[in-house]
Amino acid sequence: KKMDQTKSKGDECYSIDHSALTSHRASKPWMSSPTYFHTASFSPSSSLKILSHCNSGVTKGLKQSGKPVEVMGLLQGRPDPSNPGTIIVTDSFPLPIEGFETRVIADDSSVINHMIALGDLMEDLRPEKFCGWYHSHPFDVTHHPHTFFSSTDLSTQLQWQRSEDSHGNPWLGCVIDPLRSMETSELVMESFRAFPPEYTSGEKFMCPDGTVVKNEAERLQRWGACFNRYYRLDTVYHMSTESNKIVRRINEDFKWVESLTGSSGSDSSRIVKAVERWEEGKEGRGKVREEFKDFRGKRKAEEVKRKGL
């Protein structure tokens, strides 16, 4: 994944020029250009919260019915006036919604009331607004990632864009493939925007990533039946200078990246205890390093056993 680790770019995402942002929202350049936005930049906290929520849908669904369930949440952020065409996502919030294959809808009155209350609270606490939504596609791991818009997803995205874009709040849609994320130990997520109904790309078989795929089966498998009604943005990840230092240190000492997407409850408990011991001082840190060596060894042995090697 692309991550902006330079001081100028990463740190810029955490500062807001309120005057420029207000002017940008008022001018609404995205209303005159269906493909105005080309990049969605996510903060580390928003990405980790999204991944954790989507993984919980997999775990809960498997325990209850033997099949993962889709989950949905909201994104908070803003259009970036200093980098036209970019939406900055600063946080994410899970919603109490569970869906079925290719279909997750926020149409329950209690869910809508929850969204309204959450939105009102966030407006009082933060300068950003809700700027999009995310949901998971927890389907079997295949050749292609399951990051696409179904017909229901496209309809949901269009409704949000019509409601929010014209009020200076451009709306983003993201799809996460949690099973592939677990398989690759990497967040598999893509960001999309819908074309307005009157828009035509000029190329009959143009796919969301800009490629032309004439093979119908391949095209539908990767991008769904409404492949030519939405487009993909570049999904990147920004990090402040200080956050980058912290994550590098954590990765060096604990290798959390290896366990993040596949940790069981007991593993998570061990991580929390390890952090507590790390803060105790030099002696505690030595114990933590030894424990995580043992932890990684056990995880590797389990992986070899699972694959039958």
Side-chain angles (χ1 to χ4, degrees):
K1 291 293 182 181
K2 292 172 279 187
M3 180 172 289
D4 194 336
Q5 296 177 345
T6 62
K7 183 172 182 178
S8 58
K9 286 290 183 180
D11 291 345
E12 278 180 3
C13 294
Y14 292 91
S15 61
I16 302 177
D17 184 332
H18 295 279
S19 177
L21 178 59
T22 299
S23 176
H24 193 47
R25 289 188 186 278
S27 64
K28 296 176 282 193
W30 47 85
M31 295 298 295
S32 59
S33 175
T35 58
Y36 174 80
F37 288 104
H38 52 73
T39 303
S41 184
F42 289 77
S43 69
S45 60
S46 66
S47 305
L48 294 179
K49 288 170 68 176
I50 290 171
L51 180 60
S52 178
H53 184 209
C54 293
N55 283 351
S56 71
V58 173
T59 303
K60 182 178 180 180
L62 290 175
K63 287 182 178 179
Q64 291 183 343
S65 63
K67 185 178 181 179
V69 295
E70 292 188 32
V71 297
M72 175 182 168
L74 294 175
L75 306 173
Q76 186 178 48
R78 64 188 188 277
D80 188 358
S82 61
N83 292 289
T86 298
I87 295 179
I88 296 176
V89 178
T90 57
D91 208 346
S92 60
F93 300 86
L95 290 174
I97 300 173
E98 293 178 2
F100 304 98
E101 188 168 318
T102 71
R103 189 172 187 270
V104 57
I105 307 175
D107 58 1
D108 183 85
S109 59
S110 62
V111 174
I112 294 175
N113 290 334
H114 175 85
M115 293 167 64
I116 294 173
L118 184 60
D120 291 341
L121 178 63
M122 289 301 102
E123 284 189 9
D124 292 336
L125 297 175
R126 303 182 183 184
E128 299 98 345
K129 300 179 179 180
F130 287 130
C131 67
W133 68 301
Y134 71 86
H135 72 286
S136 62
H137 281 179
F139 314 144
D140 292 336
V141 178
T142 60
H143 179 64
H144 295 294
H146 298 292
T147 46
F148 63 91
F149 269 174
S150 67
S151 297
T152 301
D153 299 337
L154 179 64
S155 176
T156 301
Q157 177 66 23
L158 270 174
Q159 290 179 34
W160 278 114
Q161 284 186 204
R162 285 172 173 170
S163 173
E164 297 294 323
D165 280 22
S166 59
H167 290 88
N169 190 40
W171 200 257
L172 184 68
C174 297
V175 184
I176 299 87
D177 185 338
L179 294 183
R180 198 176 190 88
S181 296
M182 292 178 181
E183 180 73 17
T184 61
S185 295
E186 178 180 307
L187 176 57
V188 179
M189 174 174 70
E190 293 195 284
S191 309
F192 305 106
R193 289 262 299 170
F195 292 129
E198 64 276 10
Y199 177 82
T200 56
S201 65
E203 173 54 59
K204 185 178 180 181
F205 302 116
M206 180 75 76
C207 294
D209 62 348
T211 61
V212 176
V213 180
K214 296 185 178 181
N215 184 297
E216 183 177 10
E218 182 180 347
R219 188 174 64 246
L220 296 181
Q221 182 183 29
R222 176 62 184 94
W223 298 110
C226 52
F227 65 93
N228 61 349
R229 301 312 311 157
Y230 66 101
Y231 75 97
R232 184 180 72 181
L233 288 72
D234 288 336
T235 299
V236 300
Y237 302 89
H238 61 265
M239 185 178 293
S240 68
T241 305
E242 291 305 312
S243 294
N244 188 36
K245 290 178 183 178
I246 293 171
V247 170
R248 285 179 179 274
R249 182 61 180 272
I250 289 174
N251 188 38
E252 290 171 1
D253 288 297
F254 298 115
K255 299 297 182 184
W256 278 10
V257 172
E258 295 179 5
S259 59
L260 179 62
T261 57
S263 292
S264 64
S266 60
D267 291 341
S268 299
S269 177
R270 292 183 66 185
I271 290 173
V272 172
K273 291 179 180 178
V275 172
E276 293 174 351
R277 279 194 290 276
W278 180 264
E279 294 175 347
E280 292 175 359
K282 185 175 181 180
E283 184 178 349
R285 292 168 188 160
K287 292 179 181 179
V288 168
R289 289 192 178 97
E290 291 302 316
E291 285 192 9
F292 270 81
K293 282 182 182 179
D294 178 60
F295 169 69
R296 292 196 299 272
K298 287 182 178 179
R299 285 289 299 275
K300 186 175 181 179
E302 290 172 0
E303 183 70 13
V304 170
K305 183 178 180 181
R306 184 178 68 82
K307 293 182 178 180
L309 299 177

